[in-house]
Amino acid sequence: MQQNFPNYLLPAPLNLSNRPENMGHQPASRSMTDLRVGPQGEEPQRGRVEAQRGRGGNGRGRGRGRDGTPEVRKLGYKMLEGLLEREASEVAITLSSSTGLKNLLDDSTMRSDLVQLVCQVLCKAFGSRIDRKIVLHLARIVKDSKFFRNILPYHVTGMMSDYAQARREQYPQHLSNIISLLSEVLNMFPQSSIQSVSMLVALLKPTVNQLRATGVDILPSTDEDLERVQGLVDHLQEKSREGTLRSDNYSFLAADEDAPPGEEDFRTMSIYPTIEEFHLDQKPFLRPNIMSQSFPNTRIYLDTHFRLLREDFVRPLREGVKEILRNQHSETIDGIPMKKRRFDDIRIYFDTRLVLPLCTPTGIAYKVQFDPRPLQFVRWENSKRLIYGSLVCLSMDNFETFLFATVTDRDPTLLRKGQVHLCFSSESRARLARIQPSDSFLMVETTAYFEAYRYVLEGLQEQDENDVPFQRYIVECNTDVDPPAYLRVEGRSYDLSSIMAEGQEKIPPFNPLTPHAWPDEEKVGLDESQLQALKLALTNEVAIIQGPPGTGKTHVGLKIAQALLNNHEAWSNNCPMLVVCYTNHALDQFLEGIHGFLKRGIVRVGGRSNSETLKPFGLRELTRASNFRKNLPQHLRRAHHEIYTQMEAAEELLKRQSAQLECSLRGVLREDFLERYMSPQHWDSLCLQPVSATHTQTHTHTHTHTHTDGPQLNDEELIDIDEEADLIQAERIVVDAEHGDKDWKKLKQDQKNIADMAELMLAMNLNDPEPQEAAQNRAQSQADQEEWQMQGHQKKKIKQMAKKELRKTSAMSEQQERQTRNVWILNLKDRWRLYRLWVLRYRTDLRAKALTSEQVYQDAAERLNEIRRREDLCVLRQARVVGMTTTGAAKYRQALQELQPRLVIVEEAAEVLEAHTITTLSKACQHLILIGDHQQHRMRPSIARLLTPHIYETLENHPSVLEYDNVKGVLTNLFFVDHGQFEEEIKDGRSHQNPHEAQFVVALCRYLMLQGYKPSQITILTTYTGQLHCLRKLMPSPNFSGVKVHVVDKYQGEENDIIILSLVRSNLQRRVGFLNISNRVCVALSRAKMGLFCIGNMDMLSSVTLWSNILHTLRESDQVGRALTLSCQNHPDKQILASCSDDFRGAPEGGCDQPCQFRLDCGHVCTRMCHPYDVEHKEYKCMKDCQKVLCELKHKCTRRCYKECGECQVLLDKIIPSCQHSQKVPCHLDPEKFVCQELCQKTLPCDHPCKAACGESCTAQCKVRVQMQLKCGHVQEEPCFISRDHRREPNCKTKCGTTLECGHPCPGTCHGCFQGRLHKACTHKCQQTLVCSHQCREPCVRDCPPCSVRCENRCVHSVCMKTCGQPCAPCNEPCEWQCPHHSCTKLCHEPCDRPPCSVPCNNTLRCGHRCIGLCGDPCPNKCRICHKDEVTEIFFGNEDDPDACFIQLEDCKHLFEATGMDQYMNLDEDQGAELDQRAIRLKDCPRCRTPIRRNLRYGTHINRSLAAISSLCDECRPVIT
């Protein structure tokens, strides 16, 4: 069988003679080893040359060498000289991606002027600060080159003896370049470059002195810079001697004079928690955030915000780990295991293992497996666990060492199996080489979105104090705000015509700094406070606009943006306006508003937008345009191609290695792939499989628990609610490439390749579904099925046992391995332990080989991401407005520093931390407008009253909110329902639900919809996600589709007419959780326009000051109580006090318990209970019988009242004029138009009666079946009309019946066999007994093919693993048939040279009785006394003799008297034997006809028969093949 594996070079098993699988591959037209690597994953020795063909490089200088490989020329002098005219970024990108540079730097010789030019170009390249990974890659090339190690030292030495005046004049700057080059390389690679740099520094000192002594004017900074590098070298050499300089991650920076004693400079602090923080019981040093006075300086300002922000995300992890360590100590005391403990700040995952590396667009991720059993209760779709961007810490030694990683992808289906994808930090990646596949970690998760923290913290560390804008205000706290610098230009004016109110006259341009020149409120269409905010924003370089929800902040913000954009020539300097929002929703709203007046020039940066309007303006959409790449600078296109090509090559290799790792996890590996990892002795014993009389029985007990909660609605029948995990991820994902659309076709192909590889590598694939296995078994021969029948019966149990064993981590020690000689003498438990040792070595070897590929891929991915950032910058520079979330701004921080927007608007500024805002701003920023959270245009006054003065001091109502209608069906527009029903805690431990509140809220929602409100007018809010899904289970989609259900936090910026709020919390401990956070309370209470209805435990909430004040305000207006009063719109005197969901039953249709009694247009009365909807009953359908008279005969309508009556359908007896038959005809129908349904009485031309109805035309095709004589002479039944058509004779269906040469009747028909001239092939199975004693299961043919069943021949030494039709390899071990009386000297496969022993056996059986066997034969398992009936049963005749001895056949275990059995076996030697007894075949068991293959006593007969069978097969094989 030849297999196709298109994307992988597959591992091939070793070519073993005793494996039937290999034999099946021999006829292939091409050896599979031509296509594959070996079992250990080695690279093939060919193929890379072809892979390089056709690839472009730098667009120049490529040719081919003599061996056909691409020839890459070195970078030339002119090209390097041209790079000096380019920007630093372009120089770095060009050099880093050029293979010509590496060739140049690896030359053995180089001209002096070229050395100078190379140093100059490299220094310029290292000046690029945004392209860190590219510069790092370039520095690595330089560090490892001959140029750096050999040529540059030689050149520095030669400078002392160089007296060429032209070159000597360049030496001062050249020396500065060399020192700068050394400093850059040493800072990036302190450990690996220290030796080369120290040598160069030692050579530079005498060179500088010599040049100065000979009149060269050395630059003043040269000595200082050289001493600084020397100091760095001395420091690193000291650390090297101490053994602490172990890697290139070491950093060396001067101490901060502003740092407190014993505290490190914030710029050198690790962003991640340190081991000291986990183990030392001391509080971190934190500076208080100064609120009312200035900071001492900008450095302390940055230090303060760095430490506070770092503590914000480090504290939960630090305290959680400390709690783990304390609990591990107390576990031995109180006996409570760790898995049953709860932790407040962290989530824990046990038995976590690194499975295999994965290639993602952003770099290497790892598939990680954790134990899912303690988390069976988690609903992963809605859980906040392991969400994209969350930070995890893995340790296997009580956090003495640990790894950090972030979640890169989550799939709820995989999470249920305990699988998640992680990306490790750069420091942790360096330690992965020491991780073994069997290492088990404790994984701790902190809920903070680490990526947002990381980019801001890095930005604070890298922020130059002199580049922080607006220091006058944010550091020095100066309250006198200047106008923007661009407005202070003489003659500056603004044209505000675009923002004038509709119908107002246009105003001429004016200087906005002239107060009296501004138009009034009416002209602008704003109220006084809004116009004041507009003036403030346009005339102050730092402006803060505040206002509660609904006050028109966004409206004013859009006016500001429109005014600035229409006057962009005043401020833009070809830079876009930057708009930053806290959430994607707010960003979409603001940009959609801008799109209303700016149709082009918007770029939205971010991965998740729900706006169809903004879809064409997404950064990813713009960069994926067909013509985008054509317009990019050439150096970016070339670099993208080169790096992407490197990524693809590394990915191809890594996927192949990962696929082998994946296969090793999917089941039991074939021994071929493990040979290298086991001792030769074990391999030899493994190949000689033992003889086993019975299969190993494995009994596993599995208990399946099914939990049912009674009848529930399917998910498809419930309303759609956004999963919170998806909502959180949508805010976190910034770039589509990080979490983009999966290439499903590629993934499917990858899975197919892995499945194909698994088929080759695995002896047992645990991923194979049972139906597939059954199909595979059916395809085998019958004998093969019989062989596997017992295993098939236990297949499920065997797989369960294998899965259980493969999950274990315990492996045999190497000492135990050395003590084991024969693997088959081990018990099953130890065999698995030994197997796991081999697999551990196999995986470790694969992982070690994969690490190099991982590093290559990671390096290329990081560089490619920087190229993509450069490509993004090309788009952003063309924009007029760039919109980002705060997370996106943090991630694009370096790009923003280069974009240098001069004008920044921050929406939702109250939600944004100051550190986020500072790192967003570039030094070029001249204008900052912050719009945060007092007239409001949303809430009716009674609702707004809840916010003042408890949250806002004052709040002015717009006249429009006074015109709202009252909410129908209730007595008040605002009410808080108090209750005492306790909450339920979700098992996940981080959320809560309150079924009582959920039922009340759903019942109230239904009641309000019955009042005539549309579902879209109602929103249900809750404070916990657990309640969200408790609500969903109660809301079938047909009834509640359109109602919005949200968590409060995800409803910021939204509003609706009616809000129903469930507060959830109600407990004995009086814990209110989120409800004591004022901004969340503000959001919850400020979303409603017309009506707000809340349910919660008000008594418990009153313990919180804020809620106590709110409840006091409610009680003043009697708007809080135990029950909400429902009022019938039709019967105002009818009221219901609703305190629970059951109370709404009193208004089943939304009114009251009175019947409707409305008289319908049809005269009937409405049968419903009182209902406020459809008051005029225009949509009501009367279901009573219609009473209308339809005809002159006074017949009444038979339909329902609401249906159209139509014509009278009462059936009457009428005479049909054409045939005079009496028929039941509808009243309204004329009998002449009625089709008579009596049977036709006419006779057809064929003399058969017509089968049609009387009123129908007679049939043209008579279908009565008649006997038809065919041309072939056969007769068969056909429809009459066919038998009369002589032009088309039907095919004869009579069976052919001819006896074929095989003796079976032909299965064809007369027509199919062309009246006996040709015949269909025989379909019978052959079923003849082959020479090997198996039945032939092939289709009936003249000659049977070789038997394809697995060979059953075996001896005491080994088992033949070939197919039955192939010749067995003779066993060359010495014959084991020995006894005290006789011994055989032949080899195992030869006829024995000793007679059978007739001396009775002297052994004693377990039962205590004497053995009934013979000396030298295996003792039978039956006893003459214990099994008397079985032993003495007469078969040959002498069984009841008291001295009879017995033989037990090893193949079938049947027992026979020895003399009779000996005589039976000798029949083939007797010439008087029957003919069939002299046939070439194995003798059968006289009872069950099982071939006798294993028996030392009859070994001579067996070997002779096998030799004769083998000889016959050899003779027949050329004929039958």
Side-chain angles (χ1 to χ4, degrees), residues 1055-1083:
E1055 62 181 31
N1056 210 342
D1057 291 339
I1058 299 174
I1059 298 293
I1060 306 174
L1061 175 62
S1062 171
L1063 297 176
V1064 181
R1065 299 311 300 269
S1066 178
N1067 51 71
L1068 289 172
Q1069 297 78 21
R1070 303 179 74 81
R1071 295 175 180 167
V1072 298
F1074 300 148
L1075 300 180
N1076 65 355
I1077 302 175
S1078 60
N1079 65 331
R1080 288 184 170 175
V1081 175
C1082 176
V1083 173

mmCIF file of all heavy atoms in Angstrom, residues 1055-1083:
data_model
loop_
_atom_site.group_PDB
_atom_site.id
_atom_site.type_symbol
_atom_site.label_atom_id
_atom_site.label_comp_id
_atom_site.label_asym_id
_atom_site.label_seq_id
_atom_site.Cartn_x
_atom_site.Cartn_y
_atom_site.Cartn_z
ATOM 1 N N GLU A 1055 -28.278 52.496 26.543
ATOM 2 C CA GLU A 1055 -29.473 52.954 27.239
ATOM 3 C C GLU A 1055 -30.673 52.233 26.654
ATOM 4 O O GLU A 1055 -30.603 51.653 25.580
ATOM 5 C CB GLU A 1055 -29.643 54.465 27.086
ATOM 6 C CG GLU A 1055 -29.828 54.904 25.640
ATOM 7 C CD GLU A 1055 -29.966 56.411 25.479
ATOM 8 O OE1 GLU A 1055 -29.382 57.160 26.272
ATOM 9 O OE2 GLU A 1055 -30.668 56.819 24.539
ATOM 10 N N ASN A 1056 -31.801 52.276 27.387
ATOM 11 C CA ASN A 1056 -33.047 51.730 26.875
ATOM 12 C C ASN A 1056 -34.204 52.352 27.632
ATOM 13 O O ASN A 1056 -34.016 52.982 28.678
ATOM 14 C CB ASN A 1056 -33.080 50.201 26.996
ATOM 15 C CG ASN A 1056 -33.912 49.575 25.886
ATOM 16 O OD1 ASN A 1056 -34.722 50.241 25.237
ATOM 17 N ND2 ASN A 1056 -33.716 48.289 25.668
ATOM 18 N N ASP A 1057 -35.419 52.164 27.095
ATOM 19 C CA ASP A 1057 -36.594 52.763 27.721
ATOM 20 C C ASP A 1057 -36.837 52.199 29.110
ATOM 21 O O ASP A 1057 -37.070 52.937 30.068
ATOM 22 C CB ASP A 1057 -37.830 52.529 26.842
ATOM 23 C CG ASP A 1057 -37.763 53.324 25.547
ATOM 24 O OD1 ASP A 1057 -37.011 54.322 25.516
ATOM 25 O OD2 ASP A 1057 -38.421 52.947 24.574
ATOM 26 N N ILE A 1058 -36.789 50.868 29.226
ATOM 27 C CA ILE A 1058 -37.079 50.221 30.506
ATOM 28 C C ILE A 1058 -35.919 49.310 30.871
ATOM 29 O O ILE A 1058 -35.474 48.495 30.064
ATOM 30 C CB ILE A 1058 -38.385 49.413 30.427
ATOM 31 C CG1 ILE A 1058 -39.565 50.334 30.111
ATOM 32 C CG2 ILE A 1058 -38.633 48.663 31.734
ATOM 33 C CD1 ILE A 1058 -40.865 49.595 29.869
ATOM 34 N N ILE A 1059 -35.439 49.464 32.085
ATOM 35 C CA ILE A 1059 -34.356 48.617 32.616
ATOM 36 C C ILE A 1059 -34.906 47.834 33.799
ATOM 37 O O ILE A 1059 -35.513 48.400 34.717
ATOM 38 C CB ILE A 1059 -33.147 49.460 33.075
ATOM 39 C CG1 ILE A 1059 -32.545 50.227 31.891
ATOM 40 C CG2 ILE A 1059 -32.093 48.567 33.732
ATOM 41 C CD1 ILE A 1059 -31.901 49.371 30.834
ATOM 42 N N ILE A 1060 -34.684 46.512 33.771
ATOM 43 C CA ILE A 1060 -35.006 45.653 34.918
ATOM 44 C C ILE A 1060 -33.672 45.156 35.466
ATOM 45 O O ILE A 1060 -32.902 44.512 34.744
ATOM 46 C CB ILE A 1060 -35.895 44.467 34.513
ATOM 47 C CG1 ILE A 1060 -37.144 44.965 33.778
ATOM 48 C CG2 ILE A 1060 -36.292 43.653 35.729
ATOM 49 C CD1 ILE A 1060 -38.017 43.852 33.221
ATOM 50 N N LEU A 1061 -33.393 45.449 36.712
ATOM 51 C CA LEU A 1061 -32.075 45.201 37.303
ATOM 52 C C LEU A 1061 -32.170 44.154 38.408
ATOM 53 O O LEU A 1061 -32.959 44.289 39.342
ATOM 54 C CB LEU A 1061 -31.512 46.511 37.871
ATOM 55 C CG LEU A 1061 -30.183 46.436 38.636
ATOM 56 C CD1 LEU A 1061 -29.057 45.942 37.733
ATOM 57 C CD2 LEU A 1061 -29.835 47.802 39.220
ATOM 58 N N SER A 1062 -31.356 43.093 38.279
ATOM 59 C CA SER A 1062 -31.247 42.057 39.315
ATOM 60 C C SER A 1062 -29.910 42.220 40.023
ATOM 61 O O SER A 1062 -28.849 42.103 39.408
ATOM 62 C CB SER A 1062 -31.347 40.660 38.687
ATOM 63 O OG SER A 1062 -31.032 39.660 39.629
ATOM 64 N N LEU A 1063 -29.952 42.500 41.329
ATOM 65 C CA LEU A 1063 -28.726 42.772 42.092
ATOM 66 C C LEU A 1063 -28.074 41.496 42.621
ATOM 67 O O LEU A 1063 -26.919 41.527 43.048
ATOM 68 C CB LEU A 1063 -29.036 43.716 43.255
ATOM 69 C CG LEU A 1063 -29.539 45.104 42.833
ATOM 70 C CD1 LEU A 1063 -29.914 45.927 44.054
ATOM 71 C CD2 LEU A 1063 -28.500 45.827 42.005
ATOM 72 N N VAL A 1064 -28.784 40.396 42.674
ATOM 73 C CA VAL A 1064 -28.283 39.036 42.959
ATOM 74 C C VAL A 1064 -27.900 38.820 44.424
ATOM 75 O O VAL A 1064 -28.380 37.906 45.074
ATOM 76 C CB VAL A 1064 -27.085 38.666 42.055
ATOM 77 C CG1 VAL A 1064 -26.609 37.247 42.349
ATOM 78 C CG2 VAL A 1064 -27.449 38.827 40.586
ATOM 79 N N ARG A 1065 -27.011 39.653 44.975
ATOM 80 C CA ARG A 1065 -26.397 39.332 46.273
ATOM 81 C C ARG A 1065 -27.420 39.337 47.410
ATOM 82 O O ARG A 1065 -28.173 40.299 47.605
ATOM 83 C CB ARG A 1065 -25.275 40.307 46.599
ATOM 84 C CG ARG A 1065 -24.123 40.331 45.620
ATOM 85 C CD ARG A 1065 -23.588 38.939 45.285
ATOM 86 N NE ARG A 1065 -23.089 38.203 46.421
ATOM 87 C CZ ARG A 1065 -21.824 38.223 46.834
ATOM 88 N NH1 ARG A 1065 -20.938 38.960 46.192
ATOM 89 N NH2 ARG A 1065 -21.446 37.500 47.862
ATOM 90 N N SER A 1066 -27.418 38.259 48.180
ATOM 91 C CA SER A 1066 -28.283 38.118 49.352
ATOM 92 C C SER A 1066 -27.753 36.957 50.161
ATOM 93 O O SER A 1066 -27.879 35.803 49.750
ATOM 94 C CB SER A 1066 -29.739 37.871 48.913
ATOM 95 O OG SER A 1066 -30.573 37.683 50.037
ATOM 96 N N ASN A 1067 -27.106 37.242 51.295
ATOM 97 C CA ASN A 1067 -26.463 36.184 52.064
ATOM 98 C C ASN A 1067 -26.389 36.561 53.529
ATOM 99 O O ASN A 1067 -26.541 37.734 53.904
ATOM 100 C CB ASN A 1067 -25.056 35.889 51.522
ATOM 101 C CG ASN A 1067 -24.226 37.139 51.380
ATOM 102 O OD1 ASN A 1067 -23.796 37.734 52.372
ATOM 103 N ND2 ASN A 1067 -24.020 37.574 50.137
ATOM 104 N N LEU A 1068 -26.162 35.552 54.351
ATOM 105 C CA LEU A 1068 -26.090 35.783 55.800
ATOM 106 C C LEU A 1068 -24.873 36.609 56.189
ATOM 107 O O LEU A 1068 -24.892 37.342 57.172
ATOM 108 C CB LEU A 1068 -26.067 34.435 56.533
ATOM 109 C CG LEU A 1068 -27.375 33.638 56.536
ATOM 110 C CD1 LEU A 1068 -27.138 32.262 57.132
ATOM 111 C CD2 LEU A 1068 -28.455 34.385 57.310
ATOM 112 N N GLN A 1069 -23.795 36.491 55.405
ATOM 113 C CA GLN A 1069 -22.559 37.215 55.733
ATOM 114 C C GLN A 1069 -22.650 38.695 55.359
ATOM 115 O O GLN A 1069 -21.729 39.447 55.640
ATOM 116 C CB GLN A 1069 -21.373 36.571 55.015
ATOM 117 C CG GLN A 1069 -21.088 35.134 55.419
ATOM 118 C CD GLN A 1069 -22.045 34.144 54.778
ATOM 119 O OE1 GLN A 1069 -22.672 34.443 53.750
ATOM 120 N NE2 GLN A 1069 -22.194 32.981 55.397
ATOM 121 N N ARG A 1070 -23.729 39.080 54.686
ATOM 122 C CA ARG A 1070 -23.966 40.466 54.265
ATOM 123 C C ARG A 1070 -22.842 40.973 53.360
ATOM 124 O O ARG A 1070 -22.413 42.127 53.436
ATOM 125 C CB ARG A 1070 -24.146 41.398 55.478
ATOM 126 C CG ARG A 1070 -25.278 40.951 56.382
ATOM 127 C CD ARG A 1070 -25.431 41.873 57.586
ATOM 128 N NE ARG A 1070 -26.039 43.145 57.235
ATOM 129 C CZ ARG A 1070 -27.347 43.338 57.080
ATOM 130 N NH1 ARG A 1070 -28.197 42.325 57.245
ATOM 131 N NH2 ARG A 1070 -27.827 44.532 56.767
ATOM 132 N N ARG A 1071 -22.367 40.083 52.488
ATOM 133 C CA ARG A 1071 -21.349 40.451 51.512
ATOM 134 C C ARG A 1071 -22.041 40.986 50.260
ATOM 135 O O ARG A 1071 -22.834 40.286 49.646
ATOM 136 C CB ARG A 1071 -20.481 39.249 51.148
ATOM 137 C CG ARG A 1071 -19.647 38.722 52.301
ATOM 138 C CD ARG A 1071 -18.909 37.467 51.879
ATOM 139 N NE ARG A 1071 -18.099 36.923 52.957
ATOM 140 C CZ ARG A 1071 -17.557 35.700 52.941
ATOM 141 N NH1 ARG A 1071 -17.739 34.921 51.882
ATOM 142 N NH2 ARG A 1071 -16.828 35.268 53.950
ATOM 143 N N VAL A 1072 -21.696 42.196 49.880
ATOM 144 C CA VAL A 1072 -22.363 42.818 48.736
ATOM 145 C C VAL A 1072 -21.520 42.767 47.472
ATOM 146 O O VAL A 1072 -22.008 43.065 46.386
ATOM 147 C CB VAL A 1072 -22.731 44.287 49.050
ATOM 148 C CG1 VAL A 1072 -23.696 44.354 50.201
ATOM 149 C CG2 VAL A 1072 -21.486 45.124 49.324
ATOM 150 N N GLY A 1073 -20.228 42.393 47.593
ATOM 151 C CA GLY A 1073 -19.390 42.237 46.406
ATOM 152 C C GLY A 1073 -19.268 43.506 45.595
ATOM 153 O O GLY A 1073 -18.946 44.584 46.107
ATOM 154 N N PHE A 1074 -19.553 43.392 44.281
ATOM 155 C CA PHE A 1074 -19.399 44.523 43.363
ATOM 156 C C PHE A 1074 -20.322 45.696 43.701
ATOM 157 O O PHE A 1074 -20.105 46.802 43.230
ATOM 158 C CB PHE A 1074 -19.709 44.085 41.924
ATOM 159 C CG PHE A 1074 -18.816 43.001 41.414
ATOM 160 C CD1 PHE A 1074 -19.272 42.055 40.507
ATOM 161 C CD2 PHE A 1074 -17.499 42.920 41.842
ATOM 162 C CE1 PHE A 1074 -18.445 41.055 40.038
ATOM 163 C CE2 PHE A 1074 -16.667 41.929 41.377
ATOM 164 C CZ PHE A 1074 -17.128 40.994 40.484
ATOM 165 N N LEU A 1075 -21.353 45.451 44.492
ATOM 166 C CA LEU A 1075 -22.373 46.479 44.691
ATOM 167 C C LEU A 1075 -21.905 47.622 45.583
ATOM 168 O O LEU A 1075 -22.656 48.575 45.798
ATOM 169 C CB LEU A 1075 -23.637 45.848 45.292
ATOM 170 C CG LEU A 1075 -24.284 44.755 44.432
ATOM 171 C CD1 LEU A 1075 -25.515 44.208 45.103
ATOM 172 C CD2 LEU A 1075 -24.625 45.285 43.046
ATOM 173 N N ASN A 1076 -20.694 47.532 46.104
ATOM 174 C CA ASN A 1076 -20.177 48.670 46.878
ATOM 175 C C ASN A 1076 -19.221 49.536 46.066
ATOM 176 O O ASN A 1076 -18.574 50.417 46.600
ATOM 177 C CB ASN A 1076 -19.484 48.179 48.157
ATOM 178 C CG ASN A 1076 -18.241 47.353 47.853
ATOM 179 O OD1 ASN A 1076 -17.957 47.072 46.679
ATOM 180 N ND2 ASN A 1076 -17.518 46.949 48.876
ATOM 181 N N ILE A 1077 -19.131 49.279 44.754
ATOM 182 C CA ILE A 1077 -18.272 50.076 43.873
ATOM 183 C C ILE A 1077 -19.148 51.123 43.196
ATOM 184 O O ILE A 1077 -20.054 50.795 42.429
ATOM 185 C CB ILE A 1077 -17.572 49.186 42.829
ATOM 186 C CG1 ILE A 1077 -16.735 48.107 43.542
ATOM 187 C CG2 ILE A 1077 -16.697 50.026 41.918
ATOM 188 C CD1 ILE A 1077 -16.102 47.101 42.594
ATOM 189 N N SER A 1078 -18.879 52.386 43.463
ATOM 190 C CA SER A 1078 -19.791 53.457 43.065
ATOM 191 C C SER A 1078 -19.965 53.573 41.553
ATOM 192 O O SER A 1078 -21.069 53.819 41.070
ATOM 193 C CB SER A 1078 -19.316 54.794 43.637
ATOM 194 O OG SER A 1078 -18.012 55.099 43.148
ATOM 195 N N ASN A 1079 -18.856 53.384 40.788
ATOM 196 C CA ASN A 1079 -19.019 53.567 39.340
ATOM 197 C C ASN A 1079 -19.882 52.469 38.724
ATOM 198 O O ASN A 1079 -20.593 52.685 37.755
ATOM 199 C CB ASN A 1079 -17.654 53.646 38.645
ATOM 200 C CG ASN A 1079 -16.878 52.350 38.734
ATOM 201 O OD1 ASN A 1079 -17.038 51.600 39.692
ATOM 202 N ND2 ASN A 1079 -16.033 52.081 37.773
ATOM 203 N N ARG A 1080 -19.845 51.241 39.295
ATOM 204 C CA ARG A 1080 -20.723 50.185 38.803
ATOM 205 C C ARG A 1080 -22.173 50.461 39.178
ATOM 206 O O ARG A 1080 -23.093 50.206 38.391
ATOM 207 C CB ARG A 1080 -20.270 48.833 39.357
ATOM 208 C CG ARG A 1080 -18.980 48.345 38.715
ATOM 209 C CD ARG A 1080 -18.601 46.980 39.189
ATOM 210 N NE ARG A 1080 -17.498 46.451 38.382
ATOM 211 C CZ ARG A 1080 -16.882 45.296 38.642
ATOM 212 N NH1 ARG A 1080 -17.281 44.549 39.645
ATOM 213 N NH2 ARG A 1080 -15.887 44.881 37.886
ATOM 214 N N VAL A 1081 -22.388 50.976 40.379
ATOM 215 C CA VAL A 1081 -23.734 51.358 40.788
ATOM 216 C C VAL A 1081 -24.259 52.462 39.873
ATOM 217 O O VAL A 1081 -25.415 52.453 39.442
ATOM 218 C CB VAL A 1081 -23.747 51.818 42.257
ATOM 219 C CG1 VAL A 1081 -25.132 52.324 42.651
ATOM 220 C CG2 VAL A 1081 -23.320 50.673 43.171
ATOM 221 N N CYS A 1082 -23.381 53.408 39.529
ATOM 222 C CA CYS A 1082 -23.758 54.506 38.646
ATOM 223 C C CYS A 1082 -24.209 53.983 37.290
ATOM 224 O O CYS A 1082 -25.242 54.390 36.758
ATOM 225 C CB CYS A 1082 -22.583 55.481 38.492
ATOM 226 S SG CYS A 1082 -22.899 56.824 37.331
ATOM 227 N N VAL A 1083 -23.432 53.060 36.714
ATOM 228 C CA VAL A 1083 -23.800 52.491 35.419
ATOM 229 C C VAL A 1083 -25.134 51.768 35.520
ATOM 230 O O VAL A 1083 -26.013 51.915 34.673
ATOM 231 C CB VAL A 1083 -22.698 51.529 34.912
ATOM 232 C CG1 VAL A 1083 -23.161 50.805 33.660
ATOM 233 C CG2 VAL A 1083 -21.411 52.286 34.640
#
